[in-house]
Amino acid sequence: MKLNRLLIVSSLAGAMSLGLGIGITIGAQLGSSMFSDVPSGTYYDSAVGELATAGIFKTNSEGRFRPGDPVNRAEMAVIIKRLRDELNGIDITQGATSSRRSSSSKSSSSSSSSNSSSSSSSVTSIAPNGMFRFTSKAYTADEDDGTVSVSIVRTNSNKGNVTVEYELIAGTATADSDYQIISGTLNFADKETSKTVDVKILQDTTMESNETFTMKLSNPTNNSGLGDPSEATITLRDDDGGSTSSVGGTTSSIPAAGMIQFAAVEYSQYESKTTATITLERVGGSQGAVAVTYSMADGTATTNNYDRVSGSLTLNSGETEKTFTVNLYNNTDIGGNKTVKLTLAAPTGGAILGTSSATLIIVDDETVTTFGSGSFRMSKNEYEVNESDGKAVVTVQRVGGSAGTVSVKYRTYAGSATTTKDFADTNGTLTFRAGETAKTVTIPLVKDTEFDQGETLSFDLSEPSTGTSLGSPASSNVVIN
């Protein structure tokens, strides 16, 4: 089995903070401040910093961590020995600040840790009697489910009797109309680490889009604190006249009037063509007449490059597609490609919005001389998502030309992440109309309670239509944290 450095560092940091009787190093630096190749704000930033501060990981001669490199057996032996020494109180930091030392210096070490913590605002202190957080930052329930169960856990310590308060905050969902308003205090006894709050969902007969409200934790007591996330969003899916449809690879509840969206997230057109056609789709339903407004704003383009207009489009019952045009101005300037921001808003007739923003690229024909059907590629080699997000969104680009209607097939493949357990198998065909140059696909993720950070799947393109080809990269890794 080949393990990479991220999996090792995440597992060791989790073991140190949860299962081996010692806390996270208070005042440890972030990994991004110590290693040039650790991006700031990544899920492993603090874990790398904590273990490097403790001396369990060392910087190499180039000052890099090499997060994607595999770990061999010799390196694992050194890492585990350093961890053992750290747990036994043997100083392995070689000058790095640490809150843990031998038993004879625990008192002075604790004082040093406190000072370090107070001087570093980038590191969250761990309360001695535990940290309260939700197990997920997002929950979803159907309107007819009756209840939605929200889980709160106490991590990092389970000592003593502690309490934390919770309350519900209205969003687009209305208290005592869509859900029963509740608040209260959760009492955690000594050694107790989890509680569940059941929120009653109120069913109505109104056809509406998805609605949300929030549960919030506050006022932890007796040397306990709040972890992340301390707020969770609950989404209620309507069951009155709506439909459950798969759009862009994900399943969501859509009213019978449908969801209106841009057919692509990016369009392009030569300035010499004088007009660009923008297509809107109505998906998931087409019952009744609906309307939506569109507008545009300067990106790098100005009104010297296009006509900035706005308007409204009406789709009659049964209509699923509509277009509007953008007037372009041809010139002889060698100024490079220009961009226009496109926006949809204010749907009527019971419809909801899907992809409501897109970009139009005005191609400078003084610098680009070919305009074929193009090739397909992924927008980047790797995507990084959190399991609690519920989905991963990847972007497929059409480059080198956008003439004509073309297509490409896509499919997900299991890596260390597995289908049904970690993600839903996703496959299909993306069709690009003339002028469409980027589309997104959504991969549903499955939330579980296992510590399986850093699992991967691949998203592959194949079988481009005649006249097109696959570019690079034609495959992307998706890392699920």
Side-chain angles (χ1 to χ4, degrees), residues 16 25-31 33-35 45-59 86 91-101 116 123:
M16 289 174 68
T25 303
I26 304 300
Q29 298 182 66
L30 293 173
S33 69
M34 306 169 71
F35 301 98
D45 193 358
S46 61
V48 171
E50 289 156 14
L51 293 180
T53 300
I56 294 167
F57 273 98
K58 307 285 187 180
T59 120
E86 172 73 8
D91 187 353
I92 61 173
T93 60
Q94 298 181 354
T97 302
S98 173
S99 65
R100 297 186 297 277
R101 293 291 182 268
S116 177
V123 178

Side-chain angles (χ1 to χ4, degrees), residues 259-264 267 276-283 285-286 288-294 311-326 342-344 355 358 433-434 436 439:
M259 179 167 69
I260 306 172
Q261 61 183 11
F262 285 111
Y267 302 81
T277 300
I278 309 299
T279 302
L280 310 186
E281 296 176 327
R282 182 187 189 186
V283 298
S286 60
V290 298
V292 67
T293 62
Y294 64 88
S312 177
L313 294 176
T314 298
L315 291 88
N316 295 319
S317 185
E319 277 192 301
T320 58
E321 190 174 297
K322 211 77 170 181
T323 64
F324 66 89
T325 58
V326 182
L342 308 173
T343 303
L344 298 179
T355 303
R433 300 173 183 84
E436 295 179 349
K439 289 179 178 276

